[in-house]
Amino acid sequence: APEPKGYGTGPDDYKRMLEQDDIDVVVICTPWEDHARMCVDTMNAGKHAFTEVPAAVTVEECWQLVDTSEKTRKHCMML
């Protein structure tokens, strides 16, 4: 079996993962303050975003999630 790839060289290294064509869904389990930003980046990369609770910590972030999901037609689900 292939060895899993790591993405830990910095707080934005996950964006390298988002460039992969063989990923359809990203499950986000990071500190709360990163959830909305990572969900938005994930949907903008053409992938569905599933995140642990909470999906956002401000009303503005909630609207960013809604707007991005509608624009990209990608799901954003809080698990």
Side-chain angles (χ1 to χ4, degrees), residues 23-28 39 42-43 45-50 73-77:
I23 293 175
D24 299 317
V25 173
V26 176
V27 178
I28 298 165
C39 285
T42 298
M43 290 184 286
K47 295 149 185 20
H48 301 291
F50 298 165
R73 307 304 297 161
K74 294 298 173 184
H75 298 295
C76 182
M77 180 183 282

Side-chain angles (χ1 to χ4, degrees), residues 24-28 34-44 46-57 61-79:
D24 299 317
V25 173
V26 176
V27 178
I28 298 165
D34 296 331
H35 290 179
R37 174 176 58 90
M38 289 180 159
C39 285
V40 167
D41 290 343
T42 298
M43 290 184 286
N44 280 329
K47 295 149 185 20
H48 301 291
F50 298 165
T51 184
E52 63 182 355
V53 175
V57 293
E61 286 180 342
C62 290
W63 278 113
Q64 289 173 358
L65 296 175
V66 170
D67 292 341
T68 304
S69 179
E70 289 179 348
K71 177 185 80 175
T72 62
R73 307 304 297 161
K74 294 298 173 184
H75 298 295
C76 182
M77 180 183 282
M78 186 171 64
L79 304 173

